[in-house]
Amino acid sequence: MSDSYYGRPILKAPAWRHDIPAYLFTGGLAAGSALLAAGADLTGRPRTRRAARLAALGALGASTYFLINDLGRPERFHHMLRVAKPTSPMSVGTWLLTAFGGAAGLAATAEIRPRRWNGPAGRLTDAAGRAAGLGAAALAPGLATYTAVLIADTAVPSWHEARADLPFAFAGSALASGAAVGLIGAPPSEGGPARALAVTGVALEVAATHRIETGLGLLSEPYRTGKAARLLHAARALNLAGAAGALLGRRSRVVSALSGAALLAGSLATRFGIYEAGVASTKDPKYVVEPQRGSA
């Protein structure tokens, strides 16, 4: 480790706990599930739609919990809704979570309506559910990627330097985890969109993380060493296995479910790997000093 003034680190490591990478994962899962649900709704795949709408709401609830738990006091989340600051990723994210939550909640409610509502009330509920589901899908890209902007908009060297690629990595991760919901929760006969989403998401995530691991010069090093490297290597293996299983196991419910589980685990490992790399880059002063010397 390089020395700094008086042997002290130049940057303080993020004060966030592991609630934050869990929050990054569940937010992406909610976004990916909403996109899958909208696609399933528009193409007549009711079981996929139901699984994805319910997963979107459940993941959003978990994401909100992790965020509030990390904030320490629940009222802090409420206080962030007092103002809207387009220049603040946290403010934008808070409003995105709130708007997405309302849409995802209404869409999920349409899935659990009483079966006896088959007349005008049922049709009205279904129409409201479709409109809400499409609204959630419209907000999903922002929900999936704003967290990448949030962590890149810090002094953490390996996050800030990866600011151009992190949104693509997070978007791919969100798509892959959303696809996992369809692979696990719906029959293979409805699995076409989930399989396509899995392949697209994995390709995007693997390409973006590869650029992050190799294209940032010295600041790629924290992604290739230590705990972060182990997590990202595991994520890549799980994601590729999940995508392959989604394609090859299209007629098997068991293979599809296992592929979905691999994609979920891979997405989780990606978020934790990126988190650990950022933390590691704050602990060695060379990641602050040497890039500055190089640009001087």
Side-chain angles (χ1 to χ4, degrees):
M1 178 180 291
S2 301
D3 293 329
S4 61
Y5 195 57
Y6 289 126
R8 297 176 179 272
I10 294 174
L11 296 175
K12 292 182 66 176
W16 299 331
R17 297 169 293 183
H18 282 95
D19 289 312
I20 290 302
Y23 158 68
L24 302 179
F25 165 70
T26 51
L29 175 58
S33 297
L35 287 170
L36 179 66
D41 187 27
L42 294 174
T43 57
R45 291 175 166 87
R47 294 176 69 177
T48 300
R49 182 195 66 206
R50 177 182 177 86
R53 282 180 174 178
L54 295 177
L57 182 61
L60 183 74
S63 185
T64 304
Y65 164 78
F66 288 129
L67 176 59
I68 291 176
N69 192 51
D70 185 77
L71 290 172
R73 291 165 51 190
E75 64 269 20
R76 289 179 178 172
F77 184 86
H78 171 265
H79 293 342
M80 286 190 290
L81 292 173
R82 291 180 174 178
V83 295
K85 295 177 63 178
T87 58
S88 167
M90 180 60 78
S91 177
V92 171
T94 302
W95 282 98
L96 270 173
L97 277 173
T98 303
F100 182 92
L106 182 55
T109 299
E111 293 296 337
I112 57 176
R113 67 176 175 83
R115 292 183 179 274
R116 64 178 179 273
W117 288 9
N118 293 322
R123 289 193 294 272
L124 179 61
T125 301
D126 289 343
R130 169 167 286 190
L134 293 175
L139 294 169
L143 183 66
T145 57
Y146 94 86
T147 48
V149 179
L150 175 65
I151 65 172
D153 191 34
T154 65
V156 175
S158 287
W159 288 345
H160 184 72
E161 192 67 16
R163 59 192 178 276
D165 293 310
L166 280 175
F168 293 100
F170 279 30
S173 178
L175 293 177
S177 60
V181 171
L183 293 170
I184 294 171
S189 60
E190 290 190 10
R195 289 190 291 270
L197 206 62
V199 173
T200 302
V202 168
L204 184 59
E205 179 181 344
V206 169
T209 54
H210 177 73
R211 287 195 300 269
I212 290 169
E213 290 175 296
T214 61
L216 307 180
L218 178 66
L219 292 174
S220 284
E221 189 176 280
Y223 294 98
R224 301 195 306 267
T225 57
K227 189 174 182 180
R230 293 191 294 273
L231 285 164
L232 291 172
H233 290 163
R236 183 173 292 110
L238 287 164
N239 285 328
L240 291 173
L247 290 176
L248 299 175
R250 62 183 62 196
R251 296 183 179 180
S252 170
R253 185 70 181 265
V254 173
V255 174
S256 294
L258 290 173
S259 300
L263 292 171
L264 285 176
S267 179
L268 182 64
T270 295
R271 305 306 176 110
F272 272 82
I274 288 172
Y275 174 81
E276 293 293 343
V279 172
S281 73
T282 65
K283 295 181 178 180
D284 192 331
K286 72 179 182 182
Y287 296 125
V288 179
V289 175
E290 294 188 20
Q292 292 178 346
R293 287 174 177 168
S295 61

